[in-house]
Coordinates of all heavy atoms in Angstrom, one line a residue:
G1 N 12.3 -9.8 4.0 CA 11.3 -10.3 4.8 C 10.5 -9.1 5.5 O 10.7 -8.0 5.2
S2 N 9.6 -9.4 6.3 CA 8.8 -8.4 7.0 C 9.5 -7.6 8.0 O 9.1 -6.6 8.5 CB 7.5 -9.1 7.7 OG 8.0 -9.9 8.7
D3 N 10.8 -8.0 8.3 CA 11.6 -7.2 9.3 C 12.5 -6.2 8.6 O 13.2 -5.5 9.2 CB 12.5 -8.2 10.1 CG 11.7 -9.1 11.0 OD1 10.6 -8.7 11.4 OD2 12.2 -10.2 11.3
D4 N 12.4 -6.1 7.2 CA 13.2 -5.1 6.5 C 12.8 -3.7 6.9 O 11.6 -3.4 7.2 CB 13.0 -5.3 5.0 CG 13.5 -6.6 4.5 OD1 14.3 -7.3 5.2 OD2 13.1 -7.0 3.4
I5 N 13.7 -2.8 6.9 CA 13.4 -1.4 7.1 C 12.7 -0.8 5.9 O 13.2 -1.0 4.8 CB 14.7 -0.6 7.4 CG1 15.4 -1.1 8.7 CG2 14.5 0.9 7.5 CD1 16.7 -0.6 9.0
I6 N 11.7 -0.1 6.1 CA 10.9 0.5 5.1 C 11.3 2.0 5.0 O 11.1 2.7 5.9 CB 9.4 0.4 5.3 CG1 9.0 -1.1 5.4 CG2 8.6 1.1 4.2 CD1 7.6 -1.3 5.9
A7 N 12.0 2.3 3.9 CA 12.7 3.6 3.8 C 11.8 4.7 3.2 O 11.9 5.8 3.6 CB 14.0 3.5 3.1
G8 N 11.0 4.3 2.2 CA 10.3 5.4 1.4 C 8.9 5.0 1.2 O 8.4 3.9 1.6
N9 N 8.1 5.9 0.6 CA 6.7 5.7 0.4 C 6.5 5.0 -1.0 O 7.2 5.2 -1.9 CB 6.0 7.0 0.3 CG 5.8 7.6 1.7 OD1 5.7 6.9 2.7 ND2 5.9 8.9 1.7
V10 N 5.4 4.2 -1.0 CA 5.0 3.7 -2.3 C 4.5 4.8 -3.2 O 3.9 5.8 -2.7 CB 4.0 2.5 -2.2 CG1 4.5 1.4 -1.4 CG2 2.7 3.0 -1.6
S11 N 4.8 4.7 -4.5 CA 4.3 5.8 -5.4 C 3.6 5.1 -6.6 O 4.2 4.5 -7.4 CB 5.6 6.5 -5.9 OG 5.2 7.6 -6.8
K12 N 2.3 5.3 -6.6 CA 1.5 4.7 -7.7 C 1.8 3.3 -7.9 O 2.0 2.8 -9.0 CB 1.6 5.5 -9.0 CG 1.1 7.0 -8.9 CD -0.4 7.0 -8.7 CE -0.8 8.5 -8.7 NZ -2.2 8.6 -8.6
Y13 N 1.8 2.5 -6.8 CA 2.2 1.1 -6.8 C 1.0 0.3 -7.2 O 0.0 0.2 -6.5 CB 2.7 0.6 -5.5 CG 3.1 -0.8 -5.4 CD1 4.2 -1.3 -6.0 CD2 2.3 -1.7 -4.8 CE1 4.6 -2.6 -6.0 CE2 2.6 -3.1 -4.7 CZ 3.7 -3.5 -5.3 OH 4.1 -4.9 -5.3
V14 N 1.1 -0.4 -8.4 CA 0.0 -1.2 -8.9 C 0.1 -2.7 -8.4 O 1.2 -3.3 -8.7 CB -0.1 -1.2 -10.5 CG1 -1.2 -2.0 -11.0 CG2 -0.1 0.3 -11.0
V15 N -0.9 -3.2 -7.8 CA -0.9 -4.6 -7.3 C -1.5 -5.5 -8.4 O -2.7 -5.3 -8.7 CB -1.6 -4.7 -6.0 CG1 -1.5 -6.2 -5.5 CG2 -1.0 -3.8 -4.9
L16 N -0.7 -6.3 -9.0 CA -1.2 -7.2 -10.1 C -1.2 -8.7 -9.5 O -0.3 -9.0 -8.8 CB -0.4 -7.1 -11.3 CG -0.3 -5.8 -12.0 CD1 0.7 -5.8 -13.1 CD2 -1.7 -5.4 -12.5
P17 N -2.2 -9.5 -9.9 CA -2.2 -10.9 -9.5 C -0.9 -11.6 -10.0 O -0.3 -11.2 -11.0 CB -3.4 -11.5 -10.2 CG -4.3 -10.3 -10.6 CD -3.3 -9.2 -10.8
A18 N -0.5 -12.6 -9.3 CA 0.7 -13.4 -9.6 C 0.5 -13.9 -11.0 O -0.5 -14.5 -11.4 CB 0.9 -14.5 -8.6
G19 N 1.5 -13.8 -11.9 CA 1.5 -14.3 -13.2 C 0.8 -13.5 -14.2 O 0.7 -13.8 -15.4
Y20 N 0.2 -12.4 -13.8 CA -0.6 -11.5 -14.7 C 0.4 -10.7 -15.5 O 1.3 -10.1 -15.0 CB -1.6 -10.7 -14.0 CG -2.4 -9.7 -14.8 CD1 -3.5 -10.2 -15.5 CD2 -1.9 -8.4 -15.1 CE1 -4.2 -9.3 -16.3 CE2 -2.7 -7.6 -15.9 CZ -3.8 -8.0 -16.5 OH -4.5 -7.2 -17.3
C21 N 0.2 -10.6 -16.8 CA 0.9 -9.7 -17.7 C 0.0 -8.8 -18.4 O -1.1 -9.2 -18.8 CB 1.7 -10.5 -18.7 SG 3.0 -11.5 -18.0
G22 N 0.4 -7.5 -18.6 CA -0.5 -6.6 -19.4 C -0.9 -5.4 -18.5 O -0.4 -5.2 -17.4
Q23 N -1.7 -4.6 -19.1 CA -2.2 -3.4 -18.5 C -3.1 -3.7 -17.3 O -3.8 -4.7 -17.3 CB -2.9 -2.5 -19.5 CG -2.0 -1.9 -20.6 CD -1.0 -1.0 -20.0 OE1 -1.3 -0.1 -19.2 NE2 0.2 -1.1 -20.5
P24 N -3.0 -2.9 -16.2 CA -3.9 -3.1 -15.1 C -5.4 -3.0 -15.5 O -5.7 -2.1 -16.4 CB -3.6 -2.0 -14.1 CG -2.2 -1.5 -14.5 CD -2.1 -1.8 -16.0
K25 N -6.2 -3.8 -15.0 CA -7.7 -3.8 -15.2 C -8.3 -3.2 -14.0 O -7.7 -3.0 -12.9 CB -8.2 -5.2 -15.4 CG -7.7 -5.9 -16.7 CD -8.3 -7.2 -16.8 CE -7.7 -7.9 -18.0 NZ -8.3 -9.3 -18.2
K26 N -9.6 -2.8 -14.1 CA -10.4 -2.3 -13.0 C -10.4 -3.4 -11.9 O -10.5 -4.6 -12.2 CB -11.8 -2.1 -13.4 CG -12.6 -1.2 -12.5 CD -12.2 0.2 -12.6 CE -13.2 1.1 -11.9 NZ -12.7 2.5 -11.8
G27 N -10.0 -3.0 -10.7 CA -9.9 -3.9 -9.6 C -8.5 -4.2 -9.2 O -8.2 -4.7 -8.1
H28 N -7.5 -3.9 -10.1 CA -6.1 -4.0 -9.8 C -5.8 -2.7 -9.0 O -5.6 -1.7 -9.7 CB -5.3 -4.2 -11.0 CG -5.5 -5.5 -11.7 ND1 -5.1 -5.7 -13.0 CD2 -6.1 -6.7 -11.3 CE1 -5.4 -6.9 -13.4 NE2 -6.0 -7.5 -12.4
L29 N -5.7 -2.8 -7.7 CA -5.5 -1.6 -6.9 C -4.2 -0.9 -7.2 O -3.2 -1.5 -7.4 CB -5.7 -2.0 -5.4 CG -7.0 -2.6 -5.1 CD1 -7.0 -2.9 -3.6 CD2 -8.2 -1.8 -5.5
I30 N -4.3 0.4 -7.0 CA -3.1 1.3 -7.1 C -3.0 2.1 -5.8 O -3.9 2.8 -5.5 CB -3.3 2.3 -8.3 CG1 -3.5 1.5 -9.6 CG2 -2.1 3.2 -8.4 CD1 -3.9 2.4 -10.8
F31 N -1.9 1.8 -5.1 CA -1.7 2.4 -3.8 C -0.7 3.6 -4.0 O 0.3 3.4 -4.8 CB -1.1 1.4 -2.8 CG -2.0 0.4 -2.4 CD1 -2.2 -0.8 -3.1 CD2 -2.8 0.5 -1.2 CE1 -3.1 -1.8 -2.7 CE2 -3.7 -0.5 -0.8 CZ -3.8 -1.6 -1.5
D32 N -0.9 4.7 -3.3 CA 0.0 5.8 -3.4 C 0.1 6.5 -2.1 O -0.9 6.7 -1.4 CB -0.5 6.8 -4.5 CG 0.5 7.9 -4.7 OD1 1.7 7.7 -4.7 OD2 0.0 9.0 -5.0
A33 N 1.4 6.8 -1.7 CA 1.6 7.6 -0.5 C 2.7 8.6 -0.7 O 3.3 9.1 0.2 CB 2.0 6.7 0.7
C34 N 2.9 8.9 -2.0 CA 4.0 9.9 -2.4 C 3.5 11.3 -2.3 O 3.3 11.9 -3.4 CB 4.6 9.5 -3.7 SG 6.2 10.3 -4.0
F35 N 3.1 11.8 -1.1 CA 2.7 13.1 -0.9 C 3.0 13.5 0.5 O 3.3 12.6 1.3 CB 1.2 13.3 -1.2 CG 0.3 12.2 -0.6 CD1 -0.2 12.4 0.7 CD2 -0.1 11.1 -1.3 CE1 -1.0 11.4 1.3 CE2 -0.9 10.1 -0.7 CZ -1.3 10.3 0.6
E36 N 2.9 14.8 0.9 CA 3.2 15.2 2.2 C 2.3 14.5 3.2 O 1.1 14.4 3.0 CB 2.9 16.7 2.4 CG 3.4 17.2 3.7 CD 3.3 18.8 3.8 OE1 3.1 19.4 2.7 OE2 3.3 19.3 4.9
S37 N 2.9 13.9 4.2 CA 2.3 13.1 5.3 C 1.9 11.7 4.9 O 1.4 10.9 5.7 CB 1.1 13.8 6.0 OG -0.1 13.7 5.2
G38 N 2.2 11.3 3.7 CA 2.0 9.9 3.3 C 3.0 9.0 4.0 O 4.1 9.4 4.2
N39 N 2.6 7.8 4.4 CA 3.5 6.9 5.1 C 3.3 5.4 4.8 O 3.6 4.6 5.7 CB 3.4 7.2 6.6 CG 2.1 6.8 7.2 OD1 1.1 6.7 6.6 ND2 2.1 6.6 8.5
L40 N 2.8 5.1 3.7 CA 2.7 3.7 3.3 C 4.0 3.2 2.6 O 4.4 3.7 1.6 CB 1.5 3.5 2.4 CG 1.3 2.0 1.9 CD1 0.9 1.2 3.1 CD2 0.1 2.0 0.9
G41 N 4.7 2.3 3.3 CA 6.0 1.8 2.8 C 6.0 0.6 1.9 O 6.9 0.5 1.0
R42 N 5.1 -0.3 2.1 CA 5.1 -1.5 1.3 C 3.7 -2.1 1.3 O 2.9 -2.0 2.2 CB 6.1 -2.5 1.8 CG 6.3 -3.7 0.9 CD 7.5 -4.5 1.4 NE 6.9 -5.6 2.2 CZ 7.4 -6.2 3.2 NH1 8.6 -5.8 3.7 NH2 6.8 -7.2 3.8
V43 N 3.3 -2.8 0.2 CA 2.0 -3.5 0.0 C 2.3 -4.9 -0.5 O 3.0 -5.1 -1.5 CB 1.1 -2.7 -1.0 CG1 -0.2 -3.5 -1.2 CG2 0.9 -1.3 -0.6
D44 N 1.8 -5.9 0.2 CA 1.9 -7.3 -0.2 C 0.5 -7.8 -0.4 O -0.4 -7.7 0.5 CB 2.6 -8.1 0.9 CG 4.0 -7.8 1.1 OD1 4.6 -7.1 0.2 OD2 4.6 -8.2 2.1
Q45 N 0.2 -8.4 -1.5 CA -1.1 -8.9 -1.8 C -1.1 -10.4 -1.2 O -0.3 -11.2 -1.5 CB -1.5 -9.0 -3.2 CG -2.9 -9.5 -3.5 CD -3.3 -9.4 -5.0 OE1 -2.4 -9.4 -5.8 NE2 -4.6 -9.4 -5.2
I46 N -2.2 -10.6 -0.4 CA -2.3 -12.0 0.3 C -3.3 -12.8 -0.5 O -3.0 -13.9 -0.9 CB -2.8 -11.8 1.7 CG1 -1.8 -10.9 2.5 CG2 -2.9 -13.2 2.4 CD1 -0.4 -11.4 2.5
T47 N -4.5 -12.3 -0.8 CA -5.5 -12.9 -1.6 C -6.0 -11.8 -2.5 O -5.6 -10.7 -2.5 CB -6.6 -13.6 -0.8 OG1 -7.3 -12.5 -0.2 CG2 -6.1 -14.5 0.2
E48 N -7.1 -12.2 -3.3 CA -7.7 -11.2 -4.2 C -8.2 -9.9 -3.5 O -8.1 -8.8 -4.0 CB -8.8 -11.8 -5.0 CG -9.5 -10.9 -6.0 CD -10.6 -11.5 -6.7 OE1 -10.9 -12.7 -6.5 OE2 -11.2 -10.8 -7.6
F49 N -8.7 -10.1 -2.2 CA -9.2 -9.0 -1.5 C -8.5 -8.8 -0.2 O -9.1 -8.1 0.7 CB -10.7 -9.3 -1.2 CG -11.5 -9.4 -2.5 CD1 -12.0 -10.6 -2.9 CD2 -11.8 -8.3 -3.2 CE1 -12.8 -10.7 -4.1 CE2 -12.5 -8.4 -4.4 CZ -13.0 -9.6 -4.8
E50 N -7.3 -9.3 0.0 CA -6.6 -9.1 1.3 C -5.2 -8.7 1.0 O -4.5 -9.2 0.1 CB -6.6 -10.4 2.1 CG -5.9 -10.3 3.4 CD -5.9 -11.6 4.2 OE1 -6.4 -12.6 3.7 OE2 -5.3 -11.6 5.2
Y51 N -4.7 -7.6 1.7 CA -3.4 -7.0 1.5 C -2.8 -6.8 2.9 O -3.5 -6.5 3.8 CB -3.5 -5.7 0.8 CG -4.2 -5.8 -0.6 CD1 -5.6 -5.8 -0.7 CD2 -3.4 -5.9 -1.7 CE1 -6.2 -5.9 -1.9 CE2 -4.0 -6.1 -3.0 CZ -5.4 -6.1 -3.0 OH -6.0 -6.2 -4.3
D52 N -1.5 -7.0 2.9 CA -0.7 -6.6 4.1 C -0.1 -5.2 3.8 O 0.6 -5.1 2.7 CB 0.4 -7.5 4.4 CG -0.1 -8.8 5.2 OD1 -1.2 -8.7 5.7 OD2 0.7 -9.7 5.3
L53 N -0.4 -4.2 4.6 CA 0.1 -2.9 4.4 C 1.1 -2.6 5.5 O 0.9 -2.8 6.6 CB -1.0 -1.9 4.4 CG -2.2 -2.1 3.5 CD1 -3.3 -1.1 3.7 CD2 -1.7 -2.2 2.1
F54 N 2.3 -2.1 5.1 CA 3.4 -1.8 6.0 C 3.5 -0.3 6.1 O 3.9 0.4 5.1 CB 4.7 -2.4 5.5 CG 4.6 -3.9 5.6 CD1 4.0 -4.6 4.5 CD2 5.0 -4.6 6.7 CE1 3.9 -6.0 4.5 CE2 4.9 -6.0 6.7 CZ 4.4 -6.7 5.6
I55 N 3.2 0.3 7.2 CA 3.3 1.7 7.5 C 4.6 2.1 8.0 O 5.2 1.4 8.9 CB 2.2 2.1 8.5 CG1 0.8 1.6 8.1 CG2 2.2 3.6 8.8 CD1 0.3 2.2 6.8
R56 N 5.2 3.2 7.4 CA 6.5 3.6 7.9 C 6.4 4.2 9.3 O 5.4 4.8 9.6 CB 7.1 4.7 6.9 CG 7.5 4.1 5.6 CD 8.2 5.2 4.7 NE 7.5 6.4 4.6 CZ 7.9 7.5 5.3 NH1 8.9 7.5 6.1 NH2 7.2 8.7 5.1
P57 N 7.5 4.2 10.0 CA 7.4 4.8 11.4 C 7.3 6.3 11.3 O 7.6 6.9 10.3 CB 8.8 4.4 12.0 CG 9.4 3.3 11.1 CD 8.7 3.5 9.8
D58 N 6.8 6.8 12.4 CA 6.7 8.3 12.6 C 8.0 8.9 12.5 O 9.0 8.4 12.9 CB 6.0 8.7 13.9 CG 4.6 8.3 14.0 OD1 4.0 7.8 12.9 OD2 4.0 8.4 15.0
T59 N 8.1 10.1 11.9 CA 9.4 10.8 11.6 C 10.1 11.1 12.9 O 11.3 10.9 13.0 CB 9.1 12.0 10.8 OG1 8.5 11.7 9.6 CG2 10.4 12.7 10.5
C60 N 9.4 11.6 13.9 CA 10.1 12.1 15.1 C 10.3 11.0 16.1 O 11.0 11.2 17.1 CB 9.3 13.2 15.7 SG 9.3 14.7 14.6
N61 N 9.6 9.9 16.0 CA 9.8 8.8 16.9 C 9.6 7.4 16.2 O 8.5 7.0 16.0 CB 8.8 8.9 18.1 CG 9.2 7.9 19.2 OD1 9.9 7.0 19.0 ND2 8.7 8.2 20.4
P62 N 10.7 6.8 15.7 CA 10.6 5.6 14.9 C 10.0 4.4 15.6 O 9.8 3.4 15.0 CB 12.1 5.4 14.5 CG 12.9 6.1 15.4 CD 12.1 7.3 15.9
R63 N 9.8 4.5 16.9 CA 9.2 3.4 17.7 C 7.7 3.3 17.5 O 7.1 2.3 17.8 CB 9.5 3.5 19.2 CG 11.0 3.3 19.5 CD 11.3 3.4 21.0 NE 10.3 2.8 21.8 CZ 9.9 3.3 23.0 NH1 10.4 4.4 23.4 NH2 9.0 2.7 23.7
F64 N 7.1 4.4 16.9 CA 5.7 4.5 16.9 C 5.1 4.5 15.4 O 5.8 5.1 14.6 CB 5.1 5.7 17.7 CG 5.4 5.5 19.1 CD1 6.4 6.3 19.7 CD2 4.6 4.7 19.9 CE1 6.6 6.2 21.1 CE2 4.9 4.6 21.3 CZ 5.9 5.3 21.8
R65 N 3.9 4.0 15.3 CA 3.2 4.2 14.0 C 1.7 4.5 14.5 O 0.9 3.6 14.6 CB 3.2 2.9 13.2 CG 4.6 2.6 12.6 CD 4.7 1.2 12.1 NE 6.0 0.9 11.5 CZ 7.1 0.5 12.2 NH1 7.0 0.4 13.5 NH2 8.2 0.3 11.5
V66 N 1.5 5.7 14.7 CA 0.2 6.1 15.3 C -0.9 6.6 14.3 O -2.0 7.0 14.7 CB 0.3 7.1 16.5 CG1 1.1 6.5 17.6 CG2 1.0 8.4 16.0
W67 N -0.5 6.7 13.0 CA -1.4 7.2 12.0 C -1.1 6.6 10.7 O 0.0 6.0 10.5 CB -1.4 8.7 11.9 CG 0.0 9.3 11.7 CD1 0.9 9.6 12.6 CD2 0.7 9.5 10.4 NE1 2.1 10.0 12.1 CE2 2.0 10.0 10.7 CE3 0.3 9.4 9.1 CZ2 2.9 10.3 9.7 CZ3 1.2 9.7 8.1 CH2 2.4 10.2 8.4
F68 N -2.0 6.7 9.7 CA -1.7 6.2 8.4 C -2.3 7.1 7.4 O -3.4 7.7 7.6 CB -2.1 4.8 8.1 CG -3.6 4.5 8.5 CD1 -4.5 4.6 7.5 CD2 -3.9 4.1 9.7 CE1 -5.9 4.4 7.7 CE2 -5.3 3.9 10.0 CZ -6.2 4.0 9.0
N69 N -1.7 7.3 6.2 CA -2.2 8.2 5.2 C -1.7 7.8 3.8 O -0.5 7.8 3.6 CB -1.7 9.7 5.5 CG -2.5 10.7 4.7 OD1 -3.4 10.4 4.0 ND2 -2.0 11.9 4.8
F70 N -2.6 7.3 3.0 CA -2.3 6.9 1.7 C -3.6 6.8 0.9 O -4.7 7.0 1.4 CB -1.7 5.5 1.7 CG -2.5 4.4 2.3 CD1 -3.4 3.6 1.6 CD2 -2.4 4.1 3.7 CE1 -4.1 2.6 2.2 CE2 -3.1 3.1 4.3 CZ -4.0 2.4 3.5
T71 N -3.5 6.7 -0.4 CA -4.7 6.6 -1.3 C -4.8 5.2 -2.0 O -3.7 4.6 -2.1 CB -4.7 7.7 -2.4 OG1 -3.6 7.5 -3.2 CG2 -4.7 9.1 -1.8
V72 N -6.0 4.8 -2.4 CA -6.2 3.6 -3.1 C -7.1 4.0 -4.3 O -8.1 4.6 -4.1 CB -6.8 2.5 -2.3 CG1 -7.0 1.2 -3.1 CG2 -6.0 2.2 -1.1
E73 N -6.6 3.6 -5.5 CA -7.4 3.9 -6.7 C -7.7 2.7 -7.5 O -7.2 1.6 -7.2 CB -6.6 4.9 -7.6 CG -6.1 6.2 -7.0 CD -5.2 6.9 -7.9 OE1 -5.3 6.8 -9.2 OE2 -4.4 7.7 -7.4
N74 N -8.5 2.8 -8.5 CA -8.8 1.7 -9.5 C -9.7 0.6 -8.9 O -9.6 -0.5 -9.3 CB -7.5 1.2 -10.1 CG -7.8 0.6 -11.5 OD1 -8.6 1.1 -12.2 ND2 -7.2 -0.5 -11.8
V75 N -10.5 0.9 -7.9 CA -11.3 -0.1 -7.3 C -12.5 -0.4 -8.2 O -12.9 0.5 -8.9 CB -11.8 0.2 -5.8 CG1 -10.6 0.4 -4.9 CG2 -12.6 1.5 -5.9
K76 N -13.0 -1.6 -8.1 CA -14.3 -1.9 -8.8 C -15.4 -2.0 -7.8 O -15.2 -2.1 -6.6 CB -14.1 -3.2 -9.6 CG -13.9 -4.4 -8.8 CD -13.7 -5.6 -9.8 CE -13.3 -6.9 -9.0 NZ -13.1 -8.0 -9.8
E77 N -16.6 -1.9 -8.3 CA -17.8 -1.9 -7.4 C -17.8 -3.2 -6.6 O -17.5 -4.3 -7.1 CB -19.1 -1.9 -8.3 CG -20.3 -1.7 -7.5 CD -21.5 -1.5 -8.3 OE1 -21.4 -1.1 -9.5 OE2 -22.6 -1.8 -7.8
S78 N -18.1 -3.0 -5.3 CA -18.2 -4.1 -4.3 C -16.9 -4.7 -4.0 O -16.8 -5.9 -3.5 CB -19.2 -5.2 -4.8 OG -20.5 -4.7 -5.0
Q79 N -15.8 -4.1 -4.3 CA -14.5 -4.6 -4.0 C -14.1 -4.3 -2.6 O -14.3 -3.2 -2.1 CB -13.4 -4.1 -4.9 CG -12.1 -4.7 -4.7 CD -11.1 -4.3 -5.8 OE1 -11.3 -3.3 -6.5 NE2 -10.0 -5.0 -5.9

């Protein structure tokens, strides 16, 4: 559930529509936070254009999430 502890960063995580099989197409977003200061722990797709992003807590104070750092690739025009 959403209360799970998020331990690591997503690494080139491809979001595919439910039931889709095959290679990612343009518009199937690829999230990545596997780099220094990256802190994206989980991505849930809600609709075609809506995502819930779960940011890992700050290293020195797990009560806070005061910044975010990740990349998104494979977007299509007007997405």
Side-chain angles (χ1 to χ4, degrees):
S2 62
D3 294 332
D4 294 343
I5 294 173
I6 301 170
N9 288 326
V10 297
S11 179
K12 298 289 184 183
Y13 179 75
V14 180
V15 180
L16 299 173
Y20 179 84
C21 295
Q23 293 296 317
K25 297 180 181 179
K26 196 73 167 173
H28 294 161
L29 300 184
I30 302 171
F31 292 85
D32 187 36
C34 197
F35 50 85
E36 186 175 347
S37 77
N39 68 338
L40 181 62
R42 192 173 95 212
V43 177
D44 294 343
Q45 185 175 22
I46 305 303
T47 67
E48 182 181 1
F49 299 108
E50 182 181 356
Y51 301 84
D52 280 345
L53 305 178
F54 295 84
I55 305 300
R56 290 187 314 102
D58 291 354
T59 302
C60 295
N61 192 339
R63 293 179 40 216
F64 295 105
R65 291 166 178 85
V66 296
W67 53 273
F68 54 91
N69 194 6
F70 57 91
T71 64
V72 181
E73 302 173 28
N74 205 38
V75 298
K76 62 183 176 184
E77 188 174 339
S78 301
Q79 185 172 15

